[in-house]
Amino acid sequence: MGIVPNDRLGKIDFYESHTTVWAAALATIGLTAPTVAALTNATTNARKAYGDHLAAQQAAKAATLAYYDKVRLMHNAPGFGADMIQTIKTFAQTTNNPNVYVLAQIPAPSVGGVTPPPGTPLDFTVGLLQNGALELKWKCNNPTGTAGTIYEVKRQIGGGAFTFIGATGIKTFTDDTIPAGSSPCTYQVTAVRSTARGNPAQFTVNFGIGGGGMVIASVMGGTGADVKMAA
């Protein structure tokens, strides 16, 4: 550990406390009066500079607060900047005159675009699982930047009406509620996002009997659907 402190204020304190002692013992500690006097003067100057530093800090703090307050007043005070800008916008809207923004040199409000509806499911793959359920998979090109799309699945047996059988948030669905002897089965898959609906896609599955029981005899693409059987 050194004799003199490392921090600036500590150095000032050290020399202030030692120059007086050294001046009183010049002959016995090997120092001279002129050198101690010069150090004493330098210490006095350092102490004064520290005081000026503190005063400048306080002045800077006060000036900063005044600066912040003046900017706040300029922008937020009643009738000033922000209120004037709002008045210009209101005037432009009530007069239905977009040139007001040009004259005021402020940007006109952006007009939000309408997000396109979800895409149409395509590239279906149909597979028959060991338990007799039908596994449906597909692709769907939805608009960039959208999220929360779900897929509504309806089924038509024979020539009956389409019946809702479920929904999924991923591009796959397992139909394990196919009644025995149902053929053909037509599926309709529609992408839905909030109140926006995409165009539905349909495909039809025909079943037959094979060596191991029920098999997929054929798959036909309908509206918007290209279909293949799973390997």
Side-chain angles (χ1 to χ4, degrees):
M1 183 175 180
I3 296 174
V4 180
N6 289 324
D7 63 289
R8 295 181 179 87
L9 185 57
K11 286 181 170 64
I12 295 173
D13 291 337
F14 176 85
Y15 288 117
E16 282 181 335
S17 65
H18 283 75
T19 50
T20 302
V21 174
W22 293 348
L26 294 174
T28 58
I29 60 175
L31 298 177
T32 65
T35 57
V36 174
L39 179 59
T40 300
N41 183 61
T43 302
T44 300
N45 291 338
R47 173 62 70 180
K48 181 180 181 303
Y50 173 67
D52 293 342
H53 161 72
L54 293 180
Q57 279 189 327
Q58 293 300 318
K61 182 178 180 180
T64 299
L65 293 176
Y67 161 55
Y68 291 168
D69 187 62
K70 294 298 187 295
V71 172
R72 180 197 59 77
L73 177 69
M74 171 188 68
H75 183 64
N76 295 323
F80 281 21
D83 283 353
M84 289 182 179
I85 292 173
Q86 185 57 52
T87 298
I88 293 170
K89 290 181 177 180
T90 302
F91 183 74
Q93 292 170 0
T94 55
T95 59
N96 194 27
N97 182 9
N99 195 49
V100 169
Y101 297 106
V102 178
L103 295 174
Q105 296 186 18
I106 62 174
S110 60
V111 179
V114 177
T115 303
T120 301
L122 73 162
D123 290 348
F124 284 89
T125 301
V126 182
L128 187 64
L129 303 180
Q130 291 183 349
N131 63 358
L134 204 62
E135 184 181 55
L136 319 176
K137 296 182 179 180
W138 59 89
K139 298 178 182 179
C140 190
N141 298 320
N142 294 310
T144 302
T146 59
T149 300
I150 63 172
Y151 299 91
E152 176 188 89
V153 182
K154 294 183 179 181
R155 182 185 65 205
Q156 178 192 59
I157 297 176
F162 277 100
T163 301
F164 175 79
I165 59 172
T168 175
I170 57 177
K171 300 179 184 73
T172 182
F173 182 82
T174 300
D175 181 8
D176 55 5
T177 64
I178 305 173
S182 299
S183 186
C185 283
T186 299
Y187 290 90
Q188 178 177 283
V189 182
T190 307
V192 181
R193 185 186 66 251
S194 184
T195 58
R197 300 176 64 85
N199 293 322
Q202 295 180 7
F203 63 91
T204 301
V205 181
N206 292 291
F207 296 101
I209 302 298
M214 186 174 70
V215 296
I216 297 175
S218 65
V219 181
M220 297 181 294
T223 305
D226 295 321
V227 191
K228 62 182 179 180
M229 287 186 286

